[in-house]
Amino acid sequence: MASSFAAAFGLKDEGLLQTKGYIAGRWRDALDGATISVSNPATGEEIGTVPEMGVKETQEAITAAQDSFKAWKRTTAKVNRRVSLSFERVLTAPNLSIQMISQKFWEAPSANSVPKTHELNLIQTLENGKTLNDAKAEITYSSSFIEWFAEEAVRTYGETIPAPVPGIRNVTVMQPVGVCAILTPWNFPSAMITRKLGPALAAGCTVVVKPPPETPFSALALVELARRAGFPDGVINVVTTMKNVGEVGKELCENTIVRKVTFTGSTAVAKLLYSMSASTMKKISFEAGGNSPFIVFDDADIDAAVEGAALCKYRASGQTCVCANRIYVHSSVYAEFASRLAAKVATFKVGSGLDKETTHGPLIHDRAIKKVEEHVADAVGKGAQVLIGGSRLEGPGSFFAPTILSDVPPNVRLSNEETFGPVAALIKFETEEEVLKLANDTQYGLAGYFYSRDIGRVWRVAEALEVGMVGANTGMISSAVIPFGGVKESGLGREGAHGIQEYMQTKLIAFGGV
């Protein structure tokens, strides 16, 4: 199956297309032979299958991770760093062998060593629908986490704490928390894994990954590259599931061997996993739902605000947790901003991500289309106007036209729910106090954005927004070097910078008689 798929779509490295789960260094089918069908959202056609695994396979993966943890936790930080950098190297140049990497570790690959169509980009576009350019950007983003945390591996410092009495020396050391369960979403099928996998491995943990059933091939390709980079068997394990996701998730959260659960996804699922993890007092880090406000003040650079909104709102066709969900525009610049944004959106070309002219791909599936349709219908029914788009595109695939709604009233569903689609909702406001109240009137608190050239306002609004991350005069905030995470019901913990601490525990050693 993998070979025919690879050949049909021109993969140069057929080994990157894996169609089985991965446990204890072996590619595995489900014990009962059941499979999950994976479709291309741009066509609706099946592109392959992966195993429908259950509790027994999950338990095997957890045991494998526990067995490998005994040795992996003792690996020196220097060796850990080198293996992780080898992983980053094969991730950015996946057709290079590990032997070539070892021989030319610090040299850039030659021009003819990297395929014209990057295999990982192609796999991601086929299963997720995003454009090849977006997929390429994500692979770069993915590799940045592996590189960042490879360097963090050698900086997991402890400290010496002065004792209040003579003869005592207090020393702390950092130790890996243990076996980690990693549960990830489909919207960034590579980056959401490496953002968690990078720090877990660098900390000395071993992992069981449960990728989303919509986009499992990107996860399996990452595991294949990690295998080539030299990670020992059992350090990384992957369990694929869809129908059995409830019982698999329960096992990952309640199994006493697993000491850490990390998840990116909806707030509803995060709460469920949180409650199950409490039974064994696991360490957790959750990046949950968002409903990001985007504010354009009267003194904003409108050109910059339009570019920022277009990037922030429509990236990945609006299927990001930090994209703008509510766009508040001061009444004095409302008409100008709406007109310019509509002109910008009119230039978008929606279609297959394989088409080099495409700027925006499909939504992940028809369920996503239905939710966007419901949000648009609800807003229009309450008085909003459709400036552009507003409906599903005819033909195969899950395509929805990039949409702008104007004169959106405050009592609409999208003000309280995450749309996760290409709908920009424009809402007028008059004062700074008013818009801050509206922006913070949500249970979510992941990201917020605003545009203003008043330095006093910049500081006031940045501090007043009840979110974990603020973009002031920028619509792009994500990178490996920043602490990524939210407040309120948008999650717990931070990923990216400082994220390695989420996978470690501090141990005190008090020395007496000195």
Side-chain angles (χ1 to χ4, degrees):
M1 177 65 187
S3 178
S4 62
F5 179 93
F9 292 98
L11 295 183
K12 298 177 184 294
D13 186 343
E14 295 184 359
L16 288 181
L17 199 286
Q18 296 294 336
T19 59
K20 299 182 179 183
Y22 191 70
I23 300 174
R26 294 175 50 230
W27 296 106
R28 292 274 304 277
D29 288 316
L31 292 173
D32 62 2
T35 60
I36 303 165
S37 176
V38 183
S39 299
N40 181 346
T43 64
E45 299 174 347
E46 180 182 284
I47 57 175
T49 64
V50 292
E52 176 68 82
M53 292 177 159
V55 170
K56 289 184 179 179
E57 295 93 332
T58 304
Q59 291 172 340
E60 290 182 26
I62 292 171
T63 299
Q66 174 69 355
D67 290 344
S68 64
F69 178 64
K70 298 171 185 176
W72 183 245
K73 69 179 179 180
R74 294 195 300 269
T75 302
T76 65
K78 182 176 181 180
V79 171
N80 187 315
R81 170 183 174 275
R82 186 166 183 86
V83 176
S84 292
L85 286 176
S86 293
F87 183 20
E88 187 268 340
R89 181 75 160 166
V90 295
L91 183 56
T92 53
N95 63 324
L96 296 179
S97 68
I98 187 63
Q99 290 78 15
M100 292 175 66
I101 291 166
S102 298
Q103 293 164 7
K104 301 181 178 181
F105 191 77
W106 297 111
E107 295 179 16
S110 62
N112 61 2
S113 67
V114 180
K116 292 181 180 179
T117 301
H118 198 296
E119 281 91 340
L120 298 179
N121 302 346
L122 183 56
I123 291 172
Q124 193 172 117
T125 293
L126 289 169
E127 65 179 357
N128 172 277
K130 64 179 59 181
T131 67
L132 285 172
N133 281 337
D134 281 351
K136 181 179 179 181
E138 182 178 340
I139 296 304
T140 300
Y141 185 43
S142 302
S143 66
S144 71
F145 288 108
I146 302 300
E147 180 184 31
W148 173 267
F149 286 108
E151 300 295 354
E152 289 292 281
V154 295
R155 296 180 176 86
T156 53
Y157 306 134
E159 60 182 342
T160 300
I161 304 170
V165 296
I168 296 290
R169 298 293 183 270
N170 295 317
V171 175
T172 64
V173 295
M174 304 301 295
Q175 295 183 319
V177 69
V179 175
C180 300
I182 295 176
L183 300 93
T184 60
W186 47 261
N187 58 338
F188 290 91
S190 294
M192 295 302 96
I193 292 179
T194 59
R195 193 160 75 184
K196 302 173 188 295
L197 187 63
L201 297 175
C205 298
T206 56
V207 304
V208 178
V209 180
K210 192 222 69 74
E214 296 90 349
T215 58
F217 295 122
S218 291
L220 296 170
L222 287 175
V223 173
E224 168 62 15
L225 292 175
R227 184 192 66 79
R228 297 180 191 182
F231 284 101
D233 293 348
V235 169
I236 306 173
N237 305 273
V238 179
V239 174
T240 55
T241 187
M242 183 173 70
K243 292 180 181 179
N244 299 326
V245 65
E247 59 187 41
V248 167
K250 187 173 187 291
E251 182 65 27
L252 290 171
C253 290
E254 296 185 353
N255 191 298
T256 57
I257 294 174
V258 178
R259 297 312 311 153
K260 156 86 180 187
V261 176
T262 177
F263 166 76
T264 295
S266 72
T267 293
V269 174
K271 289 179 178 179
L272 180 62
L273 297 174
Y274 195 1
S275 66
M276 291 190 293
S277 298
S279 65
T280 52
M281 294 292 287
K282 290 183 182 4
K283 194 166 188 176
I284 59 169
S285 55
F286 293 157
E287 191 254 286
N291 193 329
S292 301
F294 187 105
I295 305 169
V296 183
F297 285 101
D298 54 348
D299 64 331
D301 180 330
I302 300 301
D303 287 335
V306 167
E307 290 298 320
L311 175 64
C312 179
K313 172 67 257 182
Y314 297 102
R315 181 187 180 200
S317 296
Q319 300 175 113
T320 80
C321 55
V322 294
C323 73
N325 214 62
R326 302 162 289 149
I327 302 180
Y328 299 102
V329 187
H330 192 272
S331 60
S332 65
V333 295
Y334 184 91
E336 180 183 6
F337 178 85
S339 175
R340 292 195 190 184
L341 183 61
K344 177 73 175 180
V345 172
T347 67
F348 294 168
K349 185 179 187 323
V350 179
S352 168
L354 297 175
D355 184 344
K356 66 180 181 180
E357 301 298 323
T358 294
T359 60
H360 294 77
L363 300 191
I364 190 65
H365 44 49
D366 282 356
R367 297 191 304 280
I369 291 280
K370 182 180 179 182
K371 184 177 183 181
V372 174
E373 288 177 330
E374 290 175 351
H375 278 200
V376 171
D378 173 70
V380 171
K382 293 174 180 175
Q385 303 295 314
V386 177
L387 281 187
I388 190 171
S391 63
R392 179 174 187 157
L393 299 180
E394 295 182 1
S398 301
F399 293 97
F400 196 92
T403 298
I404 299 177
L405 302 177
S406 66
D407 301 314
V408 177
N411 61 332
V412 294
R413 283 182 57 185
L414 61 80
S415 289
N416 298 300
E417 300 175 14
E418 191 172 25
T419 304
F420 234 62
V423 178
L426 306 187
I427 305 166
K428 288 181 183 177
F429 75 91
E430 298 295 338
T431 68
E432 181 180 318
E433 181 182 16
E434 173 198 3
V435 76
L436 284 172
K437 183 177 179 179
L438 289 169
N440 291 333
D441 186 21
T442 173
Q443 72 267 37
Y444 301 107
L446 189 57
Y449 309 85
F450 69 93
Y451 278 73
S452 172
R453 287 178 285 193
D454 181 328
I455 189 62
R457 173 180 282 160
V458 167
W459 276 107
R460 286 195 308 272
V461 174
E463 293 182 354
L465 285 172
E466 295 172 358
V467 296
M469 300 172 287
V470 175
N473 294 313
T474 179
M476 178 65 73
I477 57 175
S478 300
S479 73
V481 304
I482 58 102
F484 192 102
V487 299
K488 298 196 284 191
E489 293 190 15
S490 283
L492 298 163
R494 291 295 182 268
E495 297 182 306
H498 314 306
I500 198 169
Q501 303 298 326
E502 302 284 348
Y503 298 85
M504 305 196 82
Q505 51 196 5
T506 303
K507 176 181 284 186
L508 167 69
I509 306 173
F511 294 93
V514 294

